[in-house]
Amino acid sequence: MSNPETLLELRAIAQRYTSGQRVFTALEGIDLTVHAGEFVALLGPSGCGKSTLLRIITGLQRPTSGQVLYRGQPLRGVNPHATIVFQTFALFPWLSVAENVEIALRARGVPAGLRTPRALDLLDRVGLDGFENAYPRELSGGMRQKVGMARAMAVEPELLCLDEPFSALDVLSAETLRNDLIELWTGGHIPTQAILMVTHGIEEAVLMASRIVVMDKGPGRIVADIEVTLPYPRRRKSPAFTEIVDHVYGLLAGQTQPEDIEMGVAPGEPGPTRALPEIAIHDLTGLLEHVARLPTLRTDIYRLEDELSVGSDHLLRLIDAAELLGFATVVQGDIHLTPLGETYVDASILGRKEIFAARIRRLPIFKWLFAMLRATANHHLEWDVVKAALALEFPPDETERQLTTLVDWGRYAEVLAYDTGNSLLALEPNAEPNIPAAARDGGAPQSGL
Ligand code: ADP
Ligand code: MG
């Protein structure tokens, strides 16, 4: 695309909130430009100011300082070209589905005679054909959200802002609605020129957006901005897709040490094989949740022993695991959660498993184990066989512990199964989005990153 039209420009936006004596900086130094044709996903931990930013962009809120330009003009009051769809879209329960859309058309000054056909057309486009006369209470959560989308589109916004539009939905409705939105967007069936979507889902962002803006908090700011050039429709399991997901995880994870040192090499390769810290996942989660609750100025590691009632060995192993997985960084005796660590703490149980799975899949020791399992006929191996292979790398007493930890982590992430009855390790179907080692290591990068 050559020289696309600039719709939105944010310049040095800051937002401070005052409560009593304290001033809290929710956003600082935000520069962001959105062009026609872009689908921008805003990704970042809770509290990094994503909703605040959408309110500023739509003109529902004036920033403390900085400039909002729309099509080159400073924004005054509510932005007439932008509409926002919230997590749960409030429908009027006493109006039918069609009437709920018509009311938005009336507010826009569409003449009475044109409202009904226009509303029916919009409902048809979001796949609610046949439900025009139903009432909101008769609809599923997913269908209600579609009415919300239809209503937002009735306004024909140039810029459609979505604040976690799928997070209140069940898994299936969310996926259907995501695909519907992508289809509407890529099919050119809506007058919308750009979409700005807040999300917690890393895969969701890669599935839908042409650009991903990553934010962090303390204060809320932009830490990365990447393009996603994969063609639509995107396949979650394709190597190029997984590669970008992995890259975004890396952006959220920050870095304590260079990756090759931190992760070590696979068993059998020259160089040190990184031993996994022997920890239980719920202890790690406990540590992360605790650190997330600490006031930002107070993150000394030495205090954590008492606060969590753990011995220093155990604590150091937990911190080691948090760093290895990219959930935390340690600088001068202070521990800080990375945006990924924050995202993990905020996520649902399933969301946590998804994040955990994505992180362990990149560890050489897991790649090695998966490759071995994949190479067998039934995708399973005996405990003792794997143990014998690991014994070449680790001291005898360490080997058993490594294998136990591998299996624990793999089971939690639902990428590995272990049957204690016959002592067999097996690959879970979930271990795919898996890239055969050759495609990943040898193939040319396909992501355009
Ligand atoms: P996000 O959507 O990324 O979770 P928000 O934009 O909702 O973040 O909030 C960013 C930060 O600003 C949070 O710490 C929140 O508590 C604070 N905040 C948001 N709105 C207000 C407000 N009206 N008054 C005071 N603090 C607020
Ligand atoms: Mg929010």
Side-chain angles (χ1 to χ4, degrees):
M1 207 184 316
S2 65
N3 214 1
E5 270 175 290
T6 299
L7 297 181
L8 173 79
E9 257 180 289
L10 302 179
R11 293 188 187 156
I13 296 290
Q15 180 69 56
R16 286 176 245 289
Y17 293 113
T18 314
S19 68
Q21 303 282 24
R22 282 199 60 218
V23 178
F24 173 76
T25 303
L27 291 171
E28 178 99 324
I30 303 285
D31 294 308
L32 181 71
T33 304
V34 176
H35 304 100
E38 288 183 326
F39 187 145
V40 182
L42 271 182
L43 199 62
S46 283
C48 70
K50 303 180 297 291
S51 298
T52 302
L53 201 56
L54 285 196
R55 286 199 300 273
I56 290 171
I57 289 165
T58 49
L60 297 175
Q61 177 173 338
R62 275 184 66 129
T64 313
S65 61
Q67 263 194 312
V68 183
L69 302 178
Y70 198 84
R71 286 193 177 276
Q73 301 300 312
L75 185 65
R76 289 193 189 82
V78 173
N79 186 340
H81 307 288
T83 303
I84 188 165
V85 178
F86 297 101
Q87 190 180 92
T88 47
F89 207 91
L91 298 177
F92 298 113
W94 61 88
L95 297 181
S96 71
V97 164
E99 287 163 342
N100 262 288
V101 178
E102 286 170 33
I103 204 168
L105 294 167
R106 191 174 79 187
R108 262 190 74 222
V110 175
L114 296 179
R115 285 177 214 151
T116 307
R118 183 96 186 88
L120 296 185
D121 175 47
L122 282 163
L123 288 166
D124 194 17
R125 288 199 224 177
V126 295
L128 282 178
D129 196 13
F131 289 90
E132 300 85 358
N133 299 318
Y135 284 85
R137 65 170 183 280
E138 302 170 49
L139 304 181
S140 67
M143 291 163 91
R144 266 181 249 154
Q145 196 70 347
K146 284 187 179 183
V147 181
M149 296 263 189
R151 198 159 80 179
M153 287 188 292
V155 188
E156 306 206 334
E158 228 174 35
L159 178 64
L160 178 62
C161 296
L162 305 164
D163 196 347
E164 300 187 33
F166 311 112
S167 59
L169 303 177
D170 63 277
V171 178
L172 284 180
S173 315
E175 192 67 1
T176 309
L177 208 47
R178 278 183 203 113
N179 290 326
D180 291 347
L181 181 61
I182 294 172
E183 226 179 283
L184 282 170
W185 169 243
T186 54
H189 300 307
I190 46 175
T192 293
Q193 303 269 313
I195 299 180
L196 199 54
M197 178 180 80
V198 167
T199 173
H200 274 298
I202 295 163
E203 287 196 16
E204 179 172 296
V206 179
L207 187 72
M208 305 182 77
S210 64
R211 195 176 145 199
I212 301 177
V213 172
V214 181
M215 297 179 67
D216 195 4
K217 65 181 180 186
R221 62 196 190 281
I222 293 173
V223 293
D225 189 338
I226 61 162
E227 267 189 75
V228 183
T229 53
L230 291 178
Y232 299 95
R234 296 174 178 167
R235 285 183 308 116
R236 282 178 189 267
K237 308 232 156 148
S238 78
F241 187 93
T242 320
E243 197 179 309
I244 298 176
V245 169
D246 208 43
H247 179 72
V248 176
Y249 270 105
L251 292 173
L252 285 161
Q255 239 175 35
T256 309
Q257 293 186 62
E259 271 219 328
D260 52 330
I261 298 179
E262 194 171 294
M263 301 203 305
V265 300
E269 287 175 10
T273 299
R274 175 79 150 77
L276 294 178
E278 186 206 344
I279 53 112
I281 311 290
H282 61 88
D283 289 344
L284 174 66
T285 306
L287 169 78
L288 299 172
E289 285 175 341
H290 181 78
V291 174
R293 280 193 302 264
L294 292 176
T296 39
L297 296 175
R298 240 275 297 110
T299 51
D300 319 83
I301 288 172
Y302 71 90
R303 301 204 209 197
L304 295 175
E305 268 180 50
D306 282 348
E307 290 171 1
L308 296 169
S309 318
V310 292
S312 54
D313 283 13
H314 189 186
L315 180 61
L316 289 175
R317 282 200 305 275
L318 289 172
I319 291 174
D320 190 23
E323 283 189 283
L324 181 67
L325 295 164
F327 292 162
T329 52
V330 175
V331 180
Q332 296 178 337
D334 282 346
I335 180 168
H336 298 277
L337 294 194
T338 61
L340 183 63
E342 301 260 7
T343 306
Y344 179 85
V345 170
D346 293 340
S348 63
I349 291 175
L350 269 177
R352 286 179 177 182
K353 283 176 186 278
E354 182 185 308
I355 293 173
F356 201 84
R359 293 311 279 174
I360 63 173
R361 267 186 221 117
R362 71 193 240 297
L363 297 175
I365 196 164
F366 274 100
K367 286 187 187 167
W368 166 83
L369 181 60
F370 290 167
M372 285 213 304
L373 284 165
R374 249 187 252 113
T376 63
N378 305 317
H379 292 186
H380 53 60
L381 280 170
E382 277 181 40
W383 176 279
D384 285 337
V385 172
V386 182
K387 193 175 151 190
L390 280 175
L392 303 173
E393 302 290 333
F394 299 107
D397 54 338
E398 180 66 31
T399 308
E400 182 89 20
R401 284 207 297 270
Q402 278 303 308
L403 187 49
T404 306
T405 305
L406 263 172
V407 170
D408 266 5
W409 290 20
R411 281 172 119 178
Y412 169 75
E414 297 180 10
V415 295
L416 274 185
Y418 179 62
D419 183 341
T420 40
N422 53 16
S423 300
L424 281 182
L425 266 76
L427 271 184
E428 288 276 23
N430 239 357
E432 305 305 331
N434 247 307
I435 309 168
R440 159 166 287 224
D441 299 326
Q446 298 165 49
S447 63
L449 289 174

